């Protein structure tokens, strides 16, 4: 399957549209986002599906999918998983669903990811692929780079 995601930086009008195969892992989705936003210094990351829990409102149990370097098994009922061992198809996503991606726990680059399309893969397309960009990528470390 092909999945098309719209990945937006939270609080900004900057987004990227990427297409992935369902057999790709969340770690591979991270790599595509990393490249699409012109980042150069790798950091730890997490995906939160559904969205990360908030301090107010009803508590939603989200699953956290961590960078392999940060993942440590913590028991059979833990809501934490290894992003490198999690296929996108395994998440059973649906069109219209959103989830969150946090890159760099220190600088906290939060993204919202929306599933825009799920369908058959295209033979002429090499995956993953950056389909569209909107807005310039902000500097990874601000003005001090």
């Amino acid at each position: 399957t092909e999945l098309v995601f719209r990945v937006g930086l939270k609080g900004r009008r900057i987004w990227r549209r990427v297409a992935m195969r369902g057999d790709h892992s969340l770690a591979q989705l991270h790599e595509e986002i990393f490249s699409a936003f012109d980042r150069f210094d790798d950091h730890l990351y997490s995906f939160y599906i559904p969205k990360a829990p908030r301090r107010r409102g009803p508590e939603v149990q989200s699953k956290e999918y961590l960078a392999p370097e940060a993942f440590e098994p913590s028991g059979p009922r833990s809501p934490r998983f290894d992003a490198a061992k999690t296929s996108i198809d395994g998440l059973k996503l649906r069109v219209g669903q959103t989830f969150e991606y946090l890159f760099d726990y220190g600088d906290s680059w939060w993204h919202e990811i929306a599933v825009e399309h799920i369908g058959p893969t295209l033979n002429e397309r090499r995956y993953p692929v950056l389909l569209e960009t909107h807005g310039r990528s902000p500097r990874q470390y601000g003005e001090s780079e």
Side-chain angles (χ1 to χ4, degrees), residues 14-144:
I14 300 167
W15 54 266
R16 306 291 181 257
R17 184 169 284 122
V18 300
M20 304 286 294
R21 281 194 333 256
D23 63 349
H24 283 134
S25 69
L26 281 176
Q28 288 170 297
L29 177 57
H30 153 74
E31 291 296 331
E32 187 63 18
I33 296 168
F34 181 89
S35 175
F37 282 94
D38 304 311
R39 297 193 173 124
F40 60 89
D41 192 9
D42 209 3
H43 287 276
L44 297 177
Y45 62 88
S46 292
F47 290 90
Y48 296 92
I49 303 171
K51 294 182 174 186
R54 299 288 174 244
R55 293 176 192 252
R56 286 175 260 160
E59 189 66 28
V60 174
Q61 183 65 27
S62 66
K63 293 181 179 179
E64 182 180 11
Y65 298 84
L66 297 115
E69 305 82 16
F71 178 72
E72 292 181 23
S74 58
R77 294 189 181 268
S78 172
R80 302 177 86 188
F81 303 91
D82 185 341
K85 294 181 179 174
T86 303
S87 74
I88 295 170
D89 273 346
L91 298 171
K92 305 211 182 313
L93 299 170
R94 58 194 186 286
V95 172
Q97 184 173 352
T98 61
F99 57 99
E100 293 177 318
Y101 163 72
L102 171 62
F103 172 74
D104 187 347
Y105 300 158
D107 287 332
S108 296
W109 289 101
W110 281 96
H111 305 71
E112 182 171 80
I113 301 174
V115 181
E116 292 190 329
H117 169 79
I118 300 174
T121 56
L122 304 175
N123 290 336
E124 67 277 5
R125 185 175 281 172
R126 290 189 61 174
Y127 296 92
V129 62
L130 177 62
L131 299 172
E132 188 177 353
T133 65
H134 181 81
R136 287 184 48 177
S137 296
R139 293 174 179 251
Q140 187 170 344
Y141 296 116
E143 299 303 318
S144 64

